[in-house]
């Protein structure tokens, strides 16, 4: 279900205990999914402000931002159709920990941020693939639509980071892979789209 590139990056699969929890927590899964799509669109827009005169980079980021907003609309429609209501849900620990990992100094910071975007897309793609095995009906259709887009977004962000500094990326991606695997495989008190194993 996931590309060879994503497979070599991820050191562990989504745990079956997380999948069982997801099947019991569909409203929270969808509300957090909507939050993830908003954040993905906002991140693409914020990178757009730093793309300078690189037109190709700007155009692709603009396309990703629109695509993430389209995903948001798809998720919101499913939430409405199921009679669920959106409510405030705090952000999980995953993206926060990845963002804390980024260098505070440029030019390393921009490369790290692109790698974090790539990692979030890669893990999302793997997790969606795992969800497809347990979801049915319009929820399954929704996640099928998200899956291929997240794979493309991963490819874009990782390729962009490598054009800036390939040697640095090699070393940093290894470190980021370990951090991702830690967050995905360790107990987590909150259930979210990118949470670790349920700790209850
Ligand atoms: Fe998305
Ligand atoms: Fe994405």
């Amino acid at each position: 279900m996931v590309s060879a590139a994503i497979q070599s990056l991820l050191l562990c699969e989504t745990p079956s205990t997380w999948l069982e929890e997801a099947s019991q927590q569909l409203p929270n899964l969808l509300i957090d999914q909507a939050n993830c799509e908003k954040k993905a669109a906002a991140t693409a827009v914020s990178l757009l402000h730093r793309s300078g005169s690189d037109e190709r980079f700007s155009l692709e980021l603009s396309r990703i931002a629109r695509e993430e907003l389209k995903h948001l609309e798809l998720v919101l429609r499913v939430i409405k159709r199921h009679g669920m209501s959106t409510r405030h849900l705090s952000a999980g620990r995953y993206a926060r920990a990845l963002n804390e990992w980024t260098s505070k100094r440029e030019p390393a910071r921009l490369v790290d941020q692109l790698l974090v975007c790539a990692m979030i897309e890669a893990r999302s793609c793997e997790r969606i693939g795992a969800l497809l095995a347990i979801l049915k009906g319009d929820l399954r259709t929704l996640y099928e639509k998200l899956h291929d887009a997240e794979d493309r977004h991963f490819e874009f962000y990782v390729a962009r980071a490598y054009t800036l500094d390939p040697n640095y990326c090699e070393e940093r991606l290894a470190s980021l892979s370990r951090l991702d695997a830690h967050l995905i495989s360790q107990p987590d008190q909150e259930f979210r789209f990118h949470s670790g194993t349920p700790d209850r």
Side-chain angles (χ1 to χ4, degrees), residues 22-196:
S23 66
Q24 304 295 315
Q25 296 222 31
L26 292 179
N28 282 341
L29 176 72
L30 289 173
I31 293 167
D32 195 50
Q33 185 68 53
N35 288 341
C36 289
E37 303 298 353
K38 274 183 234 174
K39 187 75 179 71
T43 301
V45 172
S46 84
L47 286 169
L48 202 46
H49 286 294
R50 299 163 68 191
S51 59
S53 56
D54 188 332
E55 270 178 41
R56 257 185 76 188
F57 186 46
S58 300
L59 278 171
E60 192 55 36
L61 282 171
S62 170
R63 212 169 64 87
I64 290 179
R66 283 188 292 118
E67 205 162 22
E68 303 293 18
L69 289 176
K70 194 82 202 157
H71 291 172
L72 171 65
E73 291 166 28
L74 292 170
V75 177
L76 290 177
R77 261 183 237 136
V78 171
I79 288 175
K80 193 171 174 214
R81 205 179 303 138
H82 283 257
M84 301 168 184
S85 51
T86 50
R87 57 182 176 79
H88 175 73
L89 198 61
S90 62
R93 67 182 186 182
Y94 181 80
R96 188 172 56 242
L98 264 50
N99 286 324
E100 279 167 8
W101 167 92
T102 58
S103 169
K104 303 296 168 263
R105 289 181 183 196
E106 296 293 1
R109 184 165 176 77
L110 177 60
V111 182
D112 282 351
Q113 285 173 328
L114 290 165
L115 293 178
V116 164
C117 287
M119 179 57 80
I120 293 174
E121 298 286 357
R123 178 55 73 184
S124 302
C125 188
E126 185 274 339
R127 191 144 269 198
I128 290 170
L131 278 169
L132 287 176
I134 62 156
L135 294 176
K136 297 187 187 85
D138 62 349
L139 278 174
R140 185 184 163 81
T141 310
L142 166 71
Y143 278 101
E144 277 171 348
K145 284 180 186 159
L146 304 187
H147 183 273
D148 293 0
E150 310 311 11
D151 189 12
R152 263 188 289 110
H153 300 167
F154 157 74
E155 294 283 349
F156 168 75
Y157 283 123
V158 83
R160 181 67 194 183
Y162 268 83
T163 60
L164 297 178
D165 193 338
N167 291 333
Y168 177 77
C169 283
E170 208 61 39
E171 164 205 327
R172 290 296 274 166
L173 261 188
S175 152
L176 194 52
S177 283
R178 289 193 295 272
L179 176 58
D180 162 83
H182 177 79
L183 293 164
I184 291 298
S185 60
Q186 291 303 302
D188 194 340
Q189 287 181 341
E190 290 172 321
F191 171 79
R192 296 290 185 272
F193 181 71
H194 292 107
S195 56

